[in-house]
Amino acid sequence: MIGDMVMEQPPAPVGTEAQRQPPSRFPVVHRDDFDAFYVREMRAVTVFLMHQGATPYEAADSAHEAISKLLPDRWRTMEHPRAFLRLTAQRCYWRQNDARVCPADPVPDRPGGTCPVSEVVLTETQQRLLGALHELPPALRSVMAWHLDGFDYAEIAEALGMSLAAVRQNISRARRKLVTILGLGKGDADD
């Protein structure tokens, strides 16, 4: 299954096996709460696109364009809205003109009145990783962006129309190149 929102389930009876299950890796979101979906996914998709080489402004622009394709109600009925949002945003980014300049006007506000670009605060380590990702070939960078965004190999293969073996191989190659680019020793790479 490609990274989908987890729908809220009624609570399990106390002491049952269902109650002892570990929490899902994706937060519970009500299908009627678009604001919560927007807030969580816009930041994630913006970072996802930055991993692929987009500037924060290009990423926010593409993410907004992609999310507009889920409105007004398509996002509620779609089986895999997280994956759809990323695929659409990725395609929007790829279509952008390489000669684009940074906008003079601020990026439009999201619900709640803050700019999504201001939400993307990267640590020094994340900035270093982002720089290293930009040195990878586009195919490796794309697969790693999906992987860094929490999608497993099968989900990436399904979303990108690749074989599972190709995804594994690309991620392995990307990791080796990143270790070299970042100058990590064997002991540092496993941390």
Side-chain angles (χ1 to χ4, degrees):
M1 172 198 296
I2 297 177
D4 196 2
M5 282 194 277
V6 176
M7 299 307 296
E8 185 172 76
Q9 300 292 324
V14 175
T16 64
E17 182 64 30
Q19 193 179 37
R20 289 188 285 268
Q21 295 296 323
S24 171
R25 64 185 172 133
F26 299 114
V28 173
V29 173
H30 297 278
R31 286 287 181 154
D32 292 331
D33 192 357
F34 182 76
D35 286 350
F37 176 79
Y38 181 92
V39 168
R40 187 185 74 241
E41 293 301 319
M42 287 307 294
R43 180 188 185 286
V45 172
T46 300
V47 171
F48 169 78
L49 292 172
M50 289 171 64
H51 285 155
Q52 296 197 38
T55 67
Y57 293 102
E58 291 169 334
D61 187 40
S62 296
H64 277 283
E65 186 178 342
I67 208 155
S68 72
K69 296 180 187 309
L70 289 173
L71 297 174
D73 292 321
R74 189 174 183 194
W75 78 281
R76 289 185 186 154
T77 58
M78 185 172 287
E79 188 175 351
H80 307 293
R82 291 184 70 249
F84 173 85
L85 184 58
R86 281 152 182 78
L87 278 172
T88 304
Q90 182 174 308
R91 289 178 183 143
C92 293
Y93 168 62
W94 288 343
R95 281 194 310 263
Q96 289 179 357
N97 183 352
D98 290 342
R100 175 179 285 178
V101 296
C102 288
D105 295 333
V107 177
D109 288 344
R110 67 169 190 204
T114 59
C115 173
V117 172
S118 66
E119 291 288 312
V120 180
V121 178
L122 301 175
T123 65
E124 185 178 326
T125 302
Q126 290 170 322
Q127 290 175 352
R128 203 169 151 228
L129 175 61
L130 195 57
L133 285 168
H134 290 188
E135 293 185 38
L136 294 177
L140 299 183
R141 188 171 50 226
S142 178
V143 171
M144 280 304 291
W146 282 86
H147 183 63
L148 290 170
D149 204 29
F151 289 84
D152 65 32
Y153 292 179
E155 292 169 332
I156 297 168
E158 184 179 338
L160 298 180
M162 299 172 73
S163 71
L164 193 56
V167 170
R168 281 191 178 115
Q169 185 177 37
N170 281 342
I171 288 176
S172 177
R173 286 179 181 161
R175 284 180 175 156
R176 283 192 307 270
K177 287 185 183 245
L178 287 172
V179 165
T180 301
I181 292 167
L182 293 169
L184 300 175
K186 288 192 184 261
D188 297 333
D190 296 330
D191 294 336

